[in-house]
Amino acid sequence: MSAFKDTESDEATKVPTSLRVTAAIGWRTLVVLGMLYALGWLVGRLSVVVIPVAIALLLSALLAPAVSTLVRLRVPRGLATGVVLVGGLAAVGGILTFVINAFIAGLPDLREQLTASLNTIREWAATGPLHLSEGQINDYLDQVGNWLENNQQRITTGALATATTFGSFLTGMLLMLFTLIFFLHDGRRIWLFLLGPLPEPLRYRLDLAGTRGFDSLVGYIRATGLVAVGDALGIGIGLAIIGVPLVVPLAALVFLAAFIPIVGAVASGAVAILVALVAKGPIAALLTLGVVLGVQQLEGNVLQPLLIGRAVRLHPLAVVLAISVGAIAAGIIGTLLAVPVLAMLNSAVRALVESGKGENSEPESAAVGTEPESNSQSSTGEA
């Protein structure tokens, strides 16, 4: 037996160290990718359930601090949940209704302005310094149109798959509301119940990671809403001063697009510049470009670091890749959920790494036996 082991050891030493390390990393990477693929397949199969629960989690991150405030004022948790749920949903619904109606009301004029802008650019490409022929311009426009058509089909596929009928949409809304109620009322107890079967040291670490992750989600949702309002007001006021038409629908478009980081800002800014170009000329377009860049710089260098903080800050490349993967995997819903999920996972993983460096010390915020009323704001809605 020992001779066999010695022979096996001798054979192993003949394999180069670099090859052994590469093979070890390779099969572990394949296992992780396989797990991620299986998880993605499972989420896709259960998207009718997963998407309403994910939206309920985002809304609970938005409303949980208000519930915690009322509970600290000795309002019963059930009453606090009901007040915040009704008032919060009414406020959010009212804001979205106003913004969407303003955008829809100005959409026909906005479409005409964009068409005129594209025609102006087309004439400039033919008569300007580029001297493109009509055939070259048509080829470029056809390529852009085909790209938009293909990506529009890909983006809308996920949304249509989850709400193909009014019945499935209504079912998702009811499931979302039902889940949101329990996230706000019993989110901490649900989280502790899920951690209960785990060993105690691991339980503390996961509790800390979950708490930090939910805290980052609360900060992200709150900051994104404030940043969206700031972007819409800043760009809207700038467009009004310049004299660009369709200020209200353009500001509404900026507000809606702000919930898709980086990509939404670029798209809404480009639309505003095109409208300014055809309505007021190149000088106004350049001024609009300056307004858009100024607001985006204010957002990136002041608002986001101030409101979100270093713990939730993500690299722009990670944000773009997350949005791309979300769009491919789940369409419009994926683009909206990708960055919040990434921010939450980023904070949770950082917390796990930090707690792993000091496993013998119990995290202060991970007191598993604490009741929800005595926890921080994150414990109210965490699930």
Side-chain angles (χ1 to χ4, degrees), residues 39-57 162 172 175-176 179 183 330 333 337 341:
L39 180 62
W41 177 85
L42 182 62
V43 169
R45 295 287 294 179
L46 301 177
S47 60
V48 178
V49 176
V50 172
I51 291 176
V53 172
I55 296 175
L57 183 61
T162 57
L175 178 60
M176 185 272 294
T179 306
F183 277 0
I333 297 296
L337 297 180
V341 170

Side-chain angles (χ1 to χ4, degrees), residues 302-342:
V302 178
L303 292 180
Q304 286 190 354
L306 180 63
L307 297 175
I308 300 178
R310 294 183 178 275
V312 191
R313 293 177 67 181
L314 301 171
H315 195 279
L317 179 60
V319 172
V320 173
L321 292 178
I323 293 173
S324 302
V325 172
I328 294 173
I332 296 176
I333 297 296
T335 60
L336 295 176
L337 297 180
V339 180
V341 170
L342 181 62

Side-chain angles (χ1 to χ4, degrees), residues 173-319:
M173 287 293 296
L174 293 176
L175 178 60
M176 185 272 294
L177 289 175
F178 189 76
T179 306
L180 177 60
I181 292 172
F182 284 99
F183 277 0
L184 292 175
H185 188 269
D186 288 327
R188 180 65 179 173
R189 291 191 179 95
I190 295 173
W191 174 245
L192 296 180
F193 173 79
L194 295 176
L195 295 179
L198 301 176
E200 188 170 345
L202 182 60
R203 193 189 315 161
Y204 287 134
R205 294 182 62 189
L206 289 180
D207 188 24
L208 175 62
T211 302
R212 295 276 182 85
F214 189 79
D215 284 341
S216 69
L217 185 62
V218 171
Y220 177 84
I221 296 299
R222 182 186 304 170
T224 301
L226 294 176
V227 167
V229 173
D231 287 352
L233 289 176
I235 294 179
I237 293 173
L239 294 178
I241 294 175
I242 297 172
V244 177
L246 305 175
V247 172
V248 174
L250 286 174
L253 176 63
V254 171
F255 177 83
L256 295 175
F259 289 92
I260 304 178
I262 299 178
V263 177
V266 172
S268 60
V271 172
I273 294 170
L274 286 175
V275 172
L277 176 64
V278 69
K280 293 292 183 178
I283 302 299
L286 290 176
L287 292 176
T288 303
L289 175 61
V291 170
V292 172
L293 291 179
V295 171
Q296 294 304 323
Q297 288 298 316
L298 179 64
E299 171 195 333
N301 297 323
V302 178
L303 292 180
Q304 286 190 354
L306 180 63
L307 297 175
I308 300 178
R310 294 183 178 275
V312 191
R313 293 177 67 181
L314 301 171
H315 195 279
L317 179 60
V319 172

Side-chain angles (χ1 to χ4, degrees), residues 336-374:
L336 295 176
L337 297 180
V339 180
V341 170
L342 181 62
M344 187 169 58
L345 291 177
N346 179 51
S347 295
V349 171
R350 287 186 178 183
L352 282 176
V353 173
E354 292 175 2
S355 62
K357 296 178 181 178
E359 294 182 357
N360 295 329
S361 60
E362 179 179 336
E364 295 180 1
S365 61
V368 177
T370 307
E371 287 297 320
E373 287 77 10
S374 61

Side-chain angles (χ1 to χ4, degrees), residues 103-119 246 249-250 271 275 278:
F103 177 71
I104 293 175
L107 188 59
D109 294 334
L110 184 61
R111 186 184 298 114
E112 292 180 3
Q113 294 286 349
L114 287 177
T115 302
S117 299
L118 293 177
N119 291 333
L246 305 175
L250 286 174
V271 172
V275 172
V278 69

